[in-house]
Amino acid sequence: MSSIPSSVFVPADWRDFLALTKPRVMTLVVFTGLCGMLAAPVGIDPVIGFTAIMCIALGAGAAGALNQWYEADLDALMKRTAKRPLPAGRMSRESALHFGVGLACFSVLLMGLAVNYVAAGILTVSILFYVLVYTVWLKRRTPQNIVIGGAAGAFPPLIGWAAATGEIALLPFLLFSLVFLWTPPHFWALALFVKTDYANAGVPMLPVVAGERVTRVQIGLYTIPMAIAAVAPWPLGLTGAIYGVIATVGTALFALYAAIVAFRHTVPDDTMKPEKRLFKYSILYLFLLFGALVVDRWA
Amino acid sequence: MTPDDSNRIRAKQRARATVMALLLGFLVVLIFFITLSKIRSGMH
């Protein structure tokens, strides 16, 4: 054990600041933002494009840091998050707050000055949405927290597109809708097999508040509009057959896995395999669709 | 506080300062290239 007296200021490690930005979540954010940018009908200067993606990543990191600053008490109660820098006592809350606010301001300013103000505006909205609407307002109050809060994670393709074109069109709006509608089945599948963790922390996730049956039905119901948003760009003539075929097949498999989860009943000592499979596949599904979109645009 | 503790704090400070210096250096280079891109796009 350390002999450092509590009155002595121990600086946090730089790796803890990195952990504060939730790098794993950032991967998906960067990927969908990059695909939104590459799917745009106009090219973007590589340096400006790189800067835009970096700003999206920094903005997401800032939102993650502010989320961890606000939820330090909650994170301490859950096994999955108890080792994060704040609940583990490796960093002061003040440092996390300053880091988060500083990073948010920097990412928005750089996006505005180097890329364009439309992209900077949407980046600002996405950070504020994640921190204020999801983290502060909804997460501890309603089981619909991730439905509305999911919008925060849906902004990156919109920002990527806006970075390239300076405006918003139907296709990035559909991509926004896809990620927005994908979030509930994705997170509720996770919440079904980590229910105890959320219950211990008092987070009103749907399985905790409304029960497993309702959650399963909701997973099935949200998959329907998600499937429409995923396939729609093809019949609307916004993408070609490459995206259309991959989206149709990928979505059919998603719908199958979601239907299995929706119609299933938990048995004693259940290993929750179908729920884990849906959760894992949902991540692959999003990568697949956005990847197909870029291939379709450049093929 | 033992000398070992003091050394550990110093090592953390040094690592943070190094990372910060690298990030600032990267930022300088990035802004240089952003400026070049802006000048180039203004010429077209």
Side-chain angles (χ1 to χ4, degrees):
Chain A
M1 229 174 103
S2 169
S3 58
I4 302 172
S6 57
S7 57
V8 176
F9 174 72
V10 181
D13 197 285
W14 66 269
R15 291 174 197 85
D16 288 329
F17 283 101
L18 183 67
L20 218 53
T21 63
K22 300 187 180 178
R24 281 180 67 189
V25 176
M26 207 189 274
T27 319
L28 197 64
V29 166
V30 165
F31 183 73
T32 55
L34 180 67
C35 290
M37 181 188 286
L38 294 176
V42 291
I44 183 168
D45 182 284
V47 176
I48 304 299
F50 171 80
T51 308
I53 295 301
M54 195 186 82
C55 289
I56 293 174
L58 293 180
L66 290 170
N67 169 276
Q68 288 192 46
W69 161 74
Y70 190 78
E71 291 186 345
D73 58 328
L74 230 158
D75 284 346
L77 300 173
M78 295 197 284
K79 209 166 63 186
R80 188 172 62 87
T81 53
K83 286 181 183 153
R84 285 177 174 174
L86 287 171
R90 298 195 304 273
M91 183 188 286
S92 69
R93 286 194 76 196
E94 200 183 30
S95 299
L97 176 64
H98 293 171
F99 177 69
V101 172
L103 203 59
C105 294
F106 175 75
S107 63
V108 169
L109 268 175
L110 187 63
M111 183 74 102
L113 294 172
V115 185
N116 63 56
Y117 291 111
V118 177
I122 308 172
L123 182 64
T124 310
V125 172
S126 72
I127 296 170
L128 292 176
F129 200 94
Y130 186 73
V131 176
L132 298 180
V133 177
Y134 173 67
T135 304
V136 176
W137 181 30
L138 295 173
K139 188 161 179 183
R140 299 184 199 220
R141 283 184 177 82
T142 164
Q144 293 300 311
N145 47 19
I146 55 109
V147 177
I148 304 161
F155 280 110
L158 217 58
I159 303 170
W161 182 285
T165 64
E167 57 186 29
I168 299 301
L170 181 59
L171 181 58
F173 178 73
L174 283 171
L175 297 177
F176 172 89
S177 308
L178 166 64
V179 182
F180 177 61
L181 294 163
W182 163 91
T183 309
H186 166 76
F187 268 109
W188 283 334
L190 172 73
L192 279 173
F193 60 85
V194 291
K195 197 174 69 175
T196 330
D197 232 11
Y198 281 120
N200 289 342
V203 180
M205 288 301 276
L206 201 60
V208 177
V209 175
E212 259 193 49
R213 194 65 250 139
V214 174
T215 308
R216 291 179 185 281
V217 171
Q218 292 288 318
I219 286 174
L221 289 177
Y222 269 97
T223 301
I224 299 167
M226 185 212 74
I228 296 170
V231 180
W234 189 24
L236 287 173
L238 302 171
T239 62
I242 295 176
Y243 174 83
V245 171
I246 293 174
T248 307
V249 174
T251 305
L253 194 58
F254 190 109
L256 176 71
Y257 288 162
I260 292 169
V261 170
F263 292 111
R264 199 172 158 270
H265 293 275
T266 317
V267 292
D269 296 325
D270 205 315
T271 55
M272 305 297 261
K273 260 189 182 167
E275 290 73 17
K276 288 175 183 168
R277 182 176 58 190
L278 175 63
F279 176 72
K280 279 182 191 164
Y281 177 71
S282 65
I283 298 169
L284 175 73
Y285 170 76
L286 215 60
F287 274 103
L288 194 73
L289 256 64
F290 276 86
L293 190 74
V294 175
V295 172
D296 187 89
R297 158 84 175 80
W298 291 87
Chain B
M1 196 165 63
T2 65
D4 268 2
D5 291 332
S6 179
N7 287 342
R8 240 182 39 236
I9 291 176
R10 269 288 179 68
K12 269 190 180 183
Q13 285 172 330
R14 212 174 300 126
R16 270 175 62 157
T18 307
V19 171
M20 188 55 93
L22 288 172
L23 287 176
L24 287 174
F26 169 75
L27 200 62
V28 169
V29 175
L30 181 68
I31 288 176
F32 171 72
F33 280 106
I34 289 172
T35 309
L36 286 187
S37 293
K38 291 280 178 192
I39 292 170
R40 219 172 25 232
S41 67
M43 285 161 71
H44 291 301

